[in-house]
Amino acid sequence: MYYIGIDVGGTNIKAGLIKDNGEIVFRRTVPTGAAREGAAVAEEIGKIAAAVAVESGVPLSEIDSIGIGIPGACDEKNGTVLYTANIDFMKFPLREAVQKHIPLPVHLANDANCAALGEYVALPDPPSDMLFVTLGTGIGGGIIIGGKIYEGAYGIAGEVGHIRLCPEGRLCGCGRHGCWEMYASVTALVRDTREFIEKNPASALAASVEGDLSRASGKTSFVLAKEGDADAKKIVDTWISYVAEGITDLVNTFNPSLVLIGGAISREGETILSPVRDKVYRDMYKSYVPFPEIRAAKLGNDAGLIGAAFLGKK
Amino acid sequence: MYYIGIDVGGTNIKAGLIKDNGEIVFRRTVPTGAAREGAAVAEEIGKIAAAVAVESGVPLSEIDSIGIGIPGACDEKNGTVLYTANIDFMKFPLREAVQKHIPLPVHLANDANCAALGEYVALPDPPSDMLFVTLGTGIGGGIIIGGKIYEGAYGIAGEVGHIRLCPEGRLCGCGRHGCWEMYASVTALVRDTREFIEKNPASALAASVEGDLSRASGKTSFVLAKEGDADAKKIVDTWISYVAEGITDLVNTFNPSLVLIGGAISREGETILSPVRDKVYRDMYKSYVPFPEIRAAKLGNDAGLIGAAFLGKK
């Protein structure tokens, strides 16, 4: 059996035909055109789903369902998108809109939850439950319980980027002060790096971007920290300690056996993972039970696509 | 069918025979004698279980199982207590010890988790999932998912008292700084009240306990706040805002439809609940889904007993 997965981002809509074993056998990408009306974006999603089916040459009878990952909140039961930050999808009946183009069951879920499911199904020896945290523009979370995405009562469980790290801290887009993602997202790391460069124009960090703040990325401080620059190391260490703080909260709450850290920055691997483990294992509530494994996610950008596809998998 | 519930506390062991409908038809309490060896406490638990069965007059064939709530971490699979803070139960085979006295299945769980289950089964119209937070000496938590206690990978999920509220904050017994329970437990409220009285010996709060710090309890500030005392109101408001902060974190993570607040202090009712709701609903991540209900738990001290009894209920 095959599954169509669609990962709707602010920039692109990625679609793929995925086999039972998680292999992506066919791909298509189109620009989201997020500034358009929701109906136009929905039509794009319907068309790309149909195109994947037709162009791949796989007969519709061999495609089980379509799963769509949305950067926002969904009501899977009613097939609607409740809300997204970047696309005009307020209480939008996306299932119905997509089924006008292709007559298959359509499943909807939050994109971070889809990524969690994608990473989960790719594990060689999956535990029953898993915690997935993705560090990017914000911080997304996905909770797998009993092999399934845990959606909560209304489909928005896992908004872990908005647990509060610092009282009276930085104002988050969600309206709360001091949210975890204001300190431990890649956006936060970039901001910390740029703020440092601005204040220290003679620093090695400033030289590394030739004084051009816009060139400072999530990698900038990591690169210089590895070369031994003390300023960069301090920025990286502080950021990593913020990452660990939130994970400790989640570990205390869920007591998972496995935590996966995703997002492009997780490619830094042990540079991040080793100090995160040290801090989480030091600070977590001790009850003489094993420490959770903390590893980097494996699938990278494809996790959301594969997870979305597998929403319909029994 | 009947169930034996046992709630093991630092001071007393409470046991009861509970009917299918949650009614406690027979009770016994003995001192825990927590200073003794674990084996002696376990023998006390076994004896009280047997006594409940014999003295109630209900034949053993009508008693399904024994459930035991422990102030610590349990390994239900192997029937052992992994660890408790106050009783000598390190990696202790409690199931085996109890079954020497009475030949019934024995289930073990954390006491806050049992209280959560007890409150849950007493709901007239239980949702599938529920979050339970109990404010007392510390802060305990219980997560109900799909009608069952969510135990995590190793049985200690729900240690929500140890999510971090304040970086570099007060040192918690768990070793971490700034844990939620250092700010929002009843212990924290009492400490805040006593600190204020110590610094302000001429205040109405000081007068209300006749300057005797040991007389200041969790109620002291609530009583004076209701009488309009501004100092007491400030202490209460600050404490309530800390309660709300942690609940907001949990709501963002779990997206529950129902949050129950337990512990004796929850008898303050709307005095606590109304400002907690205001703050949680203001600060939680918004996705155009309904706000969770936030209510006081109902069963009080019996929640743990009833929940423990129902550990074995199918």
Side-chain angles (χ1 to χ4, degrees):
Chain A
M1 196 54 96
Y2 292 83
Y3 303 83
I4 292 175
I6 299 179
D7 187 4
V8 180
T11 310
N12 288 311
I13 300 168
K14 294 188 292 177
L17 190 70
I18 285 110
K19 272 170 81 168
D20 251 324
N21 63 2
E23 192 192 338
I24 304 172
V25 295
F26 190 83
R27 288 177 188 265
R28 273 284 172 280
T29 300
V30 292
T32 307
R36 297 181 284 178
E37 282 192 351
V41 178
E43 196 179 334
E44 204 75 79
I45 295 171
K47 278 184 184 168
I48 200 172
V52 162
V54 172
E55 294 175 28
S56 68
V58 172
L60 216 53
S61 60
E62 286 180 34
I63 303 177
D64 176 85
S65 55
I66 301 165
I68 307 175
I70 296 288
C74 301
D75 177 349
E76 158 73 12
K77 199 175 149 200
N78 294 305
T80 57
V81 177
L82 294 168
Y83 156 82
T84 72
N86 308 312
I87 304 168
D88 172 32
F89 268 165
M90 182 76 96
K91 294 194 179 170
F92 190 90
L94 185 59
R95 176 181 293 151
E96 191 187 309
V98 169
Q99 286 177 334
K100 280 182 192 157
H101 296 270
I102 176 168
L104 285 176
V106 171
H107 303 281
L108 308 175
N110 170 271
D111 55 358
N113 285 351
C114 288
L117 183 61
E119 295 288 352
Y120 179 79
V121 296
L123 291 172
D125 190 12
S128 152
D129 309 340
M130 184 190 90
L131 201 59
F132 175 72
V133 170
T134 173
L135 309 172
T137 309
I139 296 183
I143 303 162
I144 302 289
I145 293 182
K148 288 182 159 182
I149 295 172
Y150 180 67
E151 302 232 278
Y154 307 112
I156 62 160
E159 284 295 352
V160 300
H162 302 280
I163 57 178
R164 200 183 74 163
L165 215 68
C166 296
E168 321 303 331
R170 294 166 184 155
L171 178 62
C172 181
C174 79
R176 201 178 190 200
H177 281 266
C179 287
W180 188 25
E181 71 176 34
M182 297 307 292
Y183 296 85
S185 62
V186 176
T187 305
L189 172 62
V190 172
R191 186 208 50 214
D192 292 346
T193 305
R194 288 181 181 168
E195 279 180 11
F196 178 87
I197 291 171
E198 222 168 0
K199 283 185 201 150
N200 301 277
S203 62
L205 272 164
S208 80
V209 295
E210 292 168 8
D212 180 358
L213 285 184
S214 71
R215 284 180 52 192
S217 74
K219 280 189 175 176
T220 308
S221 285
F222 272 98
V223 170
L224 261 77
K226 273 174 208 160
E227 291 171 5
D229 181 66
D231 298 325
K233 191 162 180 342
K234 197 173 163 199
I235 291 170
V236 164
D237 287 350
T238 302
W239 181 79
I240 288 175
S241 79
Y242 285 132
V243 171
E245 281 294 347
I247 290 177
T248 305
D249 284 349
L250 295 171
V251 163
N252 284 345
T253 303
F254 286 103
N255 182 220
S257 60
L258 175 63
V259 179
L260 287 188
I261 300 180
I265 197 98
S266 68
R267 285 187 216 126
E268 297 289 338
E270 287 301 313
T271 309
I272 294 175
L273 296 171
S274 173
V276 163
R277 277 186 214 111
D278 286 348
K279 199 165 152 59
V280 172
Y281 297 167
R282 186 194 72 193
D283 287 348
M284 66 179 272
Y285 188 76
K286 309 292 191 305
S287 286
Y288 301 87
V289 300
F291 290 149
E293 266 193 84
I294 300 177
R295 303 204 303 245
K298 293 277 180 204
L299 300 181
N301 288 331
D302 288 335
L305 194 65
I306 296 171
F310 279 11
L311 286 174
K313 204 179 176 201
K314 303 302 168 294
Chain B
M1 196 52 98
Y2 293 82
Y3 304 83
I4 293 174
I6 299 177
D7 187 3
V8 180
T11 308
N12 287 312
I13 299 168
K14 293 189 294 178
L17 189 70
I18 285 110
K19 271 170 83 170
D20 251 324
N21 64 1
E23 192 193 336
I24 304 172
V25 294
F26 190 84
R27 288 177 187 266
R28 275 284 172 278
T29 300
V30 292
T32 307
R36 297 182 283 179
E37 280 193 354
V41 178
E43 195 178 338
E44 204 75 78
I45 296 171
K47 277 183 185 168
I48 200 172
V52 163
V54 172
E55 294 174 28
S56 69
V58 172
L60 217 55
S61 60
E62 287 181 34
I63 304 177
D64 177 84
S65 54
I66 301 165
I68 307 174
I70 295 288
C74 301
D75 177 349
E76 158 73 11
K77 199 174 149 203
N78 294 305
T80 57
V81 177
L82 293 168
Y83 156 81
T84 72
N86 307 312
I87 303 167
D88 171 32
F89 267 166
M90 182 76 97
K91 296 194 179 169
F92 190 90
L94 185 59
R95 176 181 294 150
E96 189 188 311
V98 169
Q99 286 176 333
K100 279 182 193 158
H101 297 269
I102 176 168
L104 284 176
V106 171
H107 302 282
L108 307 175
N110 171 271
D111 55 358
N113 286 351
C114 288
L117 184 61
E119 296 287 351
Y120 179 79
V121 296
L123 291 172
D125 190 12
S128 151
D129 308 341
M130 185 191 89
L131 201 60
F132 175 72
V133 170
T134 176
L135 309 172
T137 309
I139 296 182
I143 305 161
I144 302 289
I145 292 183
K148 287 183 161 181
I149 295 171
Y150 179 67
E151 302 232 278
Y154 308 112
I156 61 161
E159 284 295 352
V160 301
H162 302 279
I163 56 179
R164 200 183 74 163
L165 216 69
C166 297
E168 320 303 329
R170 293 167 186 155
L171 178 62
C172 181
C174 79
R176 202 177 187 200
H177 281 266
C179 287
W180 188 24
E181 70 175 35
M182 297 308 292
Y183 297 85
S185 63
V186 176
T187 305
L189 173 62
V190 172
R191 186 208 49 216
D192 292 346
T193 305
R194 289 182 180 168
E195 279 180 11
F196 178 87
I197 291 172
E198 221 167 1
K199 282 185 200 149
N200 301 278
S203 62
L205 271 164
S208 81
V209 296
E210 294 170 4
D212 179 358
L213 286 186
S214 71
R215 284 180 53 191
S217 74
K219 281 189 174 175
T220 308
S221 284
F222 273 97
V223 170
L224 261 77
K226 273 174 209 161
E227 292 170 4
D229 181 67
D231 297 325
K233 192 162 177 343
K234 198 174 161 198
I235 290 170
V236 164
D237 288 350
T238 303
W239 181 79
I240 288 175
S241 79
Y242 285 132
V243 171
E245 281 295 346
I247 291 178
T248 305
D249 284 349
L250 295 172
V251 163
N252 284 344
T253 303
F254 286 104
N255 183 220
S257 60
L258 176 62
V259 179
L260 287 188
I261 300 180
I265 197 98
S266 68
R267 286 186 215 127
E268 296 289 338
E270 287 302 312
T271 309
I272 294 175
L273 295 170
S274 173
V276 163
R277 277 186 213 110
D278 286 350
K279 198 165 152 60
V280 171
Y281 296 167
R282 186 193 74 194
D283 287 348
M284 65 179 271
Y285 188 76
K286 309 291 189 307
S287 286
Y288 301 87
V289 299
F291 290 148
E293 267 193 85
I294 301 177
R295 302 203 306 246
K298 293 277 180 205
L299 300 183
N301 287 332
D302 286 336
L305 193 64
I306 296 171
F310 279 13
L311 286 173
K313 204 179 176 199
K314 302 303 168 295

